[in-house]
């Protein structure tokens, strides 16, 4: 790890601006320190000698010293103020880039390593999740890095970087000034200054190792706790909610020990550096005193050297003292840029809206020999899936219900991800053939440009098993993401069809009830009704394709009937409904049933195939 990672300056605009400001403030601080030393020497020399000092000269000197002291205070204030602001912006930019980079890797991505930093997925030869994340899911690992990990950048940017810049600017400038005042003192400083970075490197290597281990421990703890919280409803249902407590306690103890070890090394390193710099300043002071006694040096330059000597070593002392606060930040930056890859995209820019009518209106959805390797299972799921699905055009009578049928683990949800354009198959292709054309006109979803992929997403509605609901009033949550305004009458009619009206009647504030992130405050079945209502409000002509992933998995008989009625309403409106189905009721409703199978992973070319990287988009999913 480098003291100042150049990737941070190249990719984060706030960091570049902050370093430039720090350089300017460092130059101003150097000038003020020199002026302060010379003014103090000019004031004390007549006093020590017993010479008289004229009133006007004394007033001017004191006024100049007051201005210099005020200037140093202003520089310190500006450094602290803008450091905090730049740190917040830098962390926000980097956090956004990390989250977007992970979103662009697709739903089955693995933690990247040096060899697969660009575009690694769990379907490729990427590092297994267990090896990279200590047994936790990659999603939890990224969440920990984007929160606790990147928070460590603040002390790095606020305290360490300014002292690093001052060391590069202030120390050489002060040595040159001391050289002009007393070459012997300058020679002592030149000889002793390199000892400080030598000891910093020796101690820093040990500190960096302990900090990296601490960061890994904290990330492992955070990732496993996130996984535990996500699975807590299941653990409670089976009476095992207290089972993982011992594991969490052990991870907490490991984090405490790693943190205390890092602090122990940091305090010892600070003591070593303080002792070294104190002895160096003392050597200069003793030499100046002896030469003053012998009459070999004038009093005024001697006083100036004595004032400047501690300032020569101060930046290096502060760098050493703040180094332990920086290593966590540098480790987090290194892991973040490992995820971003060698050519991170940086800030996302606005992209033009999709053009024209959705490509999913009309035509035929073709799955041609689709095979996807399941990581860690030694199987291909689905294996050789082929089907032709006529797409509705939003006109009544053109809709149909298509069910994907197969045992658990056969690859039904994976096939849905391929249809959505979120996953590139290891073999085969998924695409759309326009009306009136043969398969030679198939538009492969894996080859679509970002704008065309946006257009494909804009023409479909996606309802997963567990809908991701935004926070806000229930009325706004249902309307969120709709391309057109919806009046209360249409909202009430859609709610009646999905059974959401009964849910609204039980809520304390009705449609104005506040819902938390992810649907907190609603049951699983109620969240499903909210997602179905929102999907039902879509315009059938604009979004003629509806994709459902096991919509009845968490519902009782009444909820299941609601889903069936909603699916019929979509079909009657001229929409094609592609549904992952287990229950016989959904299969009985289907106009077309596609059987999905898994197969043992072959040892030949599919086992070594690596999925093509999805073209970069702005991180949105349908």
């Amino acid at each position: 790890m480098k003291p100042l990672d150049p990737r941070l300056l190249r990719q984060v605009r706030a960091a570049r601006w902050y370093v430039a400001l720090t350089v300017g403030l460092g130059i101003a601080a150097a000038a003020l320190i020199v002026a302060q030393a010379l003014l103090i020497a000019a004031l004390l020399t007549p006093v020590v000698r017993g010479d008289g000092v004229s009133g006007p000269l004394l007033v001017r000197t004191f006024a100049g010293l007051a201005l210099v002291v005020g200037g140093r205070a202003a520089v310190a204030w500006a450094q602290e103020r803008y450091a905090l602001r730049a740190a917040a912006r830098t962390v926000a930019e980097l956090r956004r880039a990390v989250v977007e980079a992970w979103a662009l890797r697709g739903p089955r991505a693995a933690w990247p390593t040096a060899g697969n930093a660009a575009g690694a997925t769990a379907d490729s030869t990427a590092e297994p999740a267990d090896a990279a994340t200590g047994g936790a899911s990659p999603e939890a690992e990224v969440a920990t890095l984007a929160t606790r990990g990147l928070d460590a950048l603040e002390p790095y940017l606020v305290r360490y970087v300014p002292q690093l810049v001052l060391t590069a600017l202030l120390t050489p400038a002060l040595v040159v000034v001391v050289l002009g005042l007393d070459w012997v003192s300058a020679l002592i400083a030149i000889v002793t200054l390199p000892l400080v970075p030598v000891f910093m490197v020796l101690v820093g290597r040990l500190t960096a190792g302990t900090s990296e281990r601490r960061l890994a421990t904290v990330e492992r703890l955070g990732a496993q706790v996130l996984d535990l919280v996500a699975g807590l409803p299941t653990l409670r249902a089976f009476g095992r909610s207290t089972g993982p407590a011992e594991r969490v306690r052990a991870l907490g103890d490991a984090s405490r020990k790693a943190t205390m070890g890092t602090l122990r090394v940091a305090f010892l390193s600070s003591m070593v550096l303080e002792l070294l710099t104190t002895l160096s300043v003392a050597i200069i002071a003793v030499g100046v005193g002896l030469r003053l006694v012998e009459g070999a040096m004038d009093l005024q330059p001697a006083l100036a050297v004595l004032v400047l000597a501690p300032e020569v070593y101060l930046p290096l002392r502060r760098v050493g003292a703040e180094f332990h606060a920086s290593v966590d930040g540098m480790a987090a930056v290194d892991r973040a840029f490992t995820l971003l890859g060698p050519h991170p995209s940086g800030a996302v820019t606005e992209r033009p809206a999709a053009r024209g009518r959705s490509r999913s209106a009309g035509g035929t959805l073709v799955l041609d020999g689709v095979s996807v390797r399941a990581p860690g299972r030694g199987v291909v799921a689905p294996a050789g899936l082929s089907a032709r699905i006529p797409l509705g055009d939003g006109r009544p009578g053109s809709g149909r219900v298509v069910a994907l049928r197969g045992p658990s683990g056969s690859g039904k949800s994976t096939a849905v991800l391929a249809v959505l354009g979120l996953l590139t198959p290891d073999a085969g292709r998924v695409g759309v053939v326009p009306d009136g054309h043969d398969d030679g006109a198939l538009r492969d979803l894996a080859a679509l440009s970002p704008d065309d992929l946006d257009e494909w997403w804009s023409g479909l509605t996606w309802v997963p098993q567990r809908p991701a609901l935004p926070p806000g009033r229930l009325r706004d949550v249902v309307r969120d993401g709709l391309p057109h305004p919806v009046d209360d009458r249409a909202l009430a009619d859609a709610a009646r069809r999905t059974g959401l009206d009964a849910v609204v009647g039980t809520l304390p504030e009705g449609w104005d009830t506040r819902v938390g992130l992810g649907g907190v405050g609603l049951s699983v079945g109620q969240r499903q009704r909210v997602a179905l209502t929102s999907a039902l409000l879509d315009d059938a002509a604009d979004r003629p394709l509806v994709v459902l992933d096991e919509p009845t998995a968490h519902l009782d008989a009444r909820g299941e009937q609601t889903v069936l009625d909603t699916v019929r309403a979509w079909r009657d409106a001229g929409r094609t409904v592609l549904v992952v189905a287990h229950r016989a009721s959904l299969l009985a409703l289907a106009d077309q049933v596609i059987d999905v199978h898994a197969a043992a992973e072959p040892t030949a070319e599919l086992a070594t195939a690596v999925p093509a990287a999805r073209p970069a988009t702005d991180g949105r999913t349908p």
Side-chain angles (χ1 to χ4, degrees):
M1 293 184 296
K2 300 179 180 180
L4 185 59
D5 198 319
R7 295 174 296 180
L8 192 64
L9 300 181
R10 287 196 301 266
Q11 302 300 330
V12 183
R13 182 180 305 172
R16 294 195 299 269
W17 171 84
Y18 171 60
V19 170
L21 176 64
T22 303
V23 169
L25 292 176
I27 295 174
L32 291 171
I33 289 173
V34 173
Q36 176 180 293
L38 297 178
L39 287 172
I40 290 175
L43 280 173
L44 292 180
T45 299
V47 175
V48 174
R49 288 176 176 172
D51 301 336
V53 181
S54 63
L57 178 60
L58 186 64
V59 170
R60 287 196 299 270
T61 306
F62 266 112
L65 183 59
L67 289 176
V68 169
V69 172
R72 292 194 65 180
V75 168
W77 171 83
Q79 181 68 62
E80 188 74 15
R81 172 183 173 84
Y82 291 106
L84 291 171
R85 181 179 300 179
R89 291 178 179 176
T90 300
V91 171
E93 284 189 41
L94 198 55
R95 180 174 288 145
R96 178 183 178 187
V98 165
V99 173
E100 289 178 347
W102 183 253
L104 294 179
R105 288 175 179 271
R108 300 178 66 179
W111 185 262
T113 59
N116 62 11
T121 69
D123 301 297
S124 66
T125 55
E127 178 183 4
D130 288 348
T133 65
S137 67
E139 291 81 4
E141 180 80 357
V142 172
T144 304
L145 173 63
T147 52
R148 287 287 302 276
L150 292 181
D151 282 343
L153 267 181
E154 182 172 329
Y156 168 71
L157 291 171
V158 172
R159 296 199 292 269
Y160 180 72
V161 172
Q163 297 306 319
L164 191 66
V165 173
L166 286 177
T167 301
L169 296 175
L170 186 57
T171 300
L174 294 183
V175 170
V176 171
V177 174
V178 172
L179 180 63
L181 296 172
D182 178 29
W183 69 270
V184 177
S185 299
L187 181 62
I188 295 174
I190 292 172
V191 172
T192 56
L193 277 172
L195 297 178
V196 179
V198 168
F199 278 90
M200 286 176 59
V201 170
L202 294 177
V203 178
R205 288 183 177 179
L206 179 61
T207 308
T210 56
S211 295
E212 288 174 354
R213 289 192 294 272
R214 175 185 173 275
L215 179 61
T217 301
V218 170
E219 287 185 344
R220 184 168 63 251
L221 172 63
Q224 294 196 10
V225 169
L226 284 174
D227 284 344
L228 173 62
V229 171
L232 197 57
T234 303
L235 293 173
R236 292 186 61 185
F238 289 95
R240 297 295 303 276
S241 58
T242 60
E246 187 62 32
R247 177 59 178 164
V248 173
R249 188 176 299 109
L251 287 170
D253 290 340
S255 175
R256 176 180 56 81
K257 292 178 181 179
T259 301
M260 293 306 297
T262 302
L263 293 176
R264 189 180 303 112
V265 174
F267 292 148
L268 289 175
S269 66
S270 298
M271 184 191 71
V272 171
L273 295 177
E274 288 288 337
L275 180 61
L276 181 61
T277 54
T278 300
L279 291 176
S280 300
V281 173
I283 292 173
I284 294 177
V286 169
V288 169
L290 291 176
R291 277 175 287 141
L292 277 175
V293 171
E294 294 175 356
M297 187 175 184
D298 293 335
L299 180 59
Q300 185 166 342
L303 291 174
V305 169
L306 290 176
V307 174
L308 288 175
E311 300 289 350
V312 172
Y313 294 92
L314 181 61
L316 279 174
R317 292 170 59 187
R318 295 292 300 275
V319 165
E322 302 295 349
F323 181 77
H324 71 275
S326 72
V327 286
D328 285 351
M330 289 190 289
V333 168
D334 186 66
R335 289 183 65 81
F337 281 107
T338 299
L339 176 61
L340 295 177
H343 303 290
S345 58
V348 175
T349 57
E350 293 294 327
R351 298 171 48 226
R355 306 175 304 277
R357 191 173 180 177
S358 167
R359 296 183 186 276
S360 61
T364 303
L365 177 65
V366 177
L367 291 85
D368 182 16
V370 174
S371 298
V372 178
R373 187 162 55 90
R377 293 173 50 197
V379 299
V380 178
L385 177 61
S386 296
R388 300 179 67 88
I389 303 173
L391 298 176
D393 56 11
R395 293 178 299 178
S398 65
R400 62 191 293 111
V401 177
V402 181
L404 297 179
R405 178 177 60 185
S408 296
S410 60
K412 300 182 297 298
S413 296
T414 302
V416 166
L417 293 177
V419 168
L420 293 173
L422 297 175
L423 180 67
T424 301
D426 291 318
R429 55 182 182 166
V430 180
V432 178
V433 177
D435 283 334
H437 294 76
D438 56 19
D439 287 356
L442 183 142
R443 295 184 59 85
D444 193 346
L445 296 184
L448 292 182
S449 67
D451 285 340
D452 287 338
L453 189 62
D454 256 359
E455 190 174 353
W456 170 249
W457 287 343
S458 69
L460 58 85
T461 298
W462 161 234
V463 182
Q465 290 187 42
R466 296 183 179 273
L469 303 179
R473 296 186 307 164
L474 182 59
R475 185 192 312 275
D476 299 329
V477 170
V478 173
R479 292 171 172 173
D480 183 71
L482 296 176
H484 53 80
V486 176
D487 57 29
D488 291 341
R489 181 175 180 180
L491 182 62
D493 182 61
R496 179 182 52 79
R497 293 188 184 185
T498 61
L500 183 61
D501 57 342
V503 175
V504 173
T506 63
L507 297 177
E509 300 181 33
W511 284 106
D512 293 323
T513 301
R514 308 289 297 187
V515 177
L517 180 64
V520 174
L522 301 176
S523 68
V524 175
Q526 291 171 342
R527 297 173 194 174
Q528 194 80 6
R529 285 181 170 87
V530 171
L532 291 173
T533 303
S534 180
L536 198 60
L537 290 170
D538 285 334
D539 191 341
D542 291 336
R543 298 187 174 184
L545 175 61
V546 181
V547 182
L548 307 175
D549 189 357
E550 299 189 36
T552 60
H554 311 286
L555 303 181
D556 54 15
R558 178 181 296 180
E560 179 181 349
Q561 186 59 46
T562 297
V563 172
L564 296 176
D565 293 341
T566 304
V567 170
R568 289 192 185 95
W570 280 326
R571 178 175 59 184
D572 295 342
R575 307 175 78 172
T576 295
V577 183
L578 178 63
V579 56
V580 175
H582 278 294
R583 298 190 181 183
S585 55
L586 270 176
L587 293 173
L589 182 62
D591 302 299
Q592 179 182 355
V593 177
I594 301 172
D595 289 313
V596 183
H597 303 283
E601 183 178 356
T603 58
E605 54 188 54
L606 183 60
T608 59
V610 178
R614 162 61 57 203
T617 67
D618 60 357
R620 288 177 289 163
T621 56

